[in-house]
Amino acid sequence: MNGTRDGPPGEGPRTRNSLLTRAAVLAAALEIIDEDGVDRLSMRRLGEVLGRDPMALYRHATNKAAVLDGVTEIVLDQLTVDTSDPDWRHQLRLIARDFRRLAVDHPNVVPLLVTHPLATPLGLRPVGTLRPLEHILSLLTKADFTGADALRTYRALFGFLYGHVLTELQEIVERPEESTDLLRLGLYRLPIGEFPLLRSLASDLAAYDGVDELERGLDILLTGLTTAMPPPRKNP
């Protein structure tokens, strides 16, 4: 990715003759975040990458916060929800897989997808970030869920997904050069008398498989939702 930024002094990969659009600004911001993280994004850095005076960027984003909101929107815009799918369980499983894929593809964006929305009231969030919610509500109400039950189902699904991606992407290996999982994960630090079970699960912890764990969790979640909140049958 670094090689794409070479060029004449003062110009980035997008030359000054190229059209500066909001889409171009957000795409460049996503590249920076993917490569270096959210903290390394600034309007000045963005201007350098785009080969533009940072002041020109304010026509497309009023500040860094607006850029971050826009990045969240373009990532979530890749989350596909087929509201016409007659099998809501199947569709929720596809949505979950899609969300995990986005998180794995853009791990530095995960805080914007998971923790930032939780601190922002719904009415103040960018409308693009609310479309998955609206589409999932549409999917479920078409399957005869009440609006309230559809909302509960959405919360249950994304509560699980948020926890899953945070668990999958966290660094758990302390000493990768060690030969045993107990040492690699640093579990040898735990007193044997207090944490016998946790220490005994070192190999299971080290063998974490994000895809398998997602599917197992979805099996449990969807089975529970089907049992607890079955949608009423339509009258013939």
Side-chain angles (χ1 to χ4, degrees), residues 10-42:
E11 292 196 355
R14 295 85 172 168
T15 68
R16 294 181 182 278
N17 294 326
S18 63
L19 180 64
L20 185 64
T21 63
R22 182 174 184 270
V25 170
L26 297 180
L30 179 57
E31 288 181 15
I32 294 172
I33 293 172
D34 280 343
E35 184 172 312
D36 298 321
V38 172
D39 292 342
R40 296 297 300 275
L41 175 68
S42 66

Side-chain angles (χ1 to χ4, degrees), residues 22-23 25-27 29-30 33 38 41-43 46 57-74 112 116 124-129:
R22 182 174 184 270
V25 170
L26 297 180
L30 179 57
I33 293 172
V38 172
L41 175 68
S42 66
M43 300 302 276
L46 195 51
L57 307 182
Y58 290 99
R59 301 173 190 168
H60 306 281
T62 55
N63 50 36
K64 178 180 174 179
V67 173
L68 295 179
D69 284 343
V71 168
T72 306
E73 287 186 289
I74 64 172
L112 302 179
H116 181 65
L124 298 180
R125 297 179 195 176
V127 293
T129 67

Side-chain angles (χ1 to χ4, degrees), residues 64-141:
K64 178 180 174 179
V67 173
L68 295 179
D69 284 343
V71 168
T72 306
E73 287 186 289
I74 64 172
V75 171
L76 283 179
D77 192 51
Q78 301 173 54
L79 187 64
T80 302
V81 181
D82 181 1
T83 60
S84 65
D85 191 339
D87 186 343
W88 62 271
R89 300 169 191 81
H90 173 257
Q91 186 57 211
L92 291 186
R93 191 177 290 272
L94 294 181
I95 293 167
R97 293 171 182 167
D98 216 16
F99 186 84
R100 177 192 171 272
R101 175 188 60 80
L102 291 174
V104 171
D105 288 348
H106 305 284
N108 290 335
V109 180
V110 166
L112 302 179
L113 299 177
V114 176
T115 57
H116 181 65
L118 298 178
T120 308
L122 278 173
L124 298 180
R125 297 179 195 176
V127 293
T129 67
L130 295 177
R131 290 195 180 99
L133 168 56
E134 182 68 20
H135 292 162
I136 291 172
L137 293 177
S138 176
L139 167 75
L140 294 173
T141 52

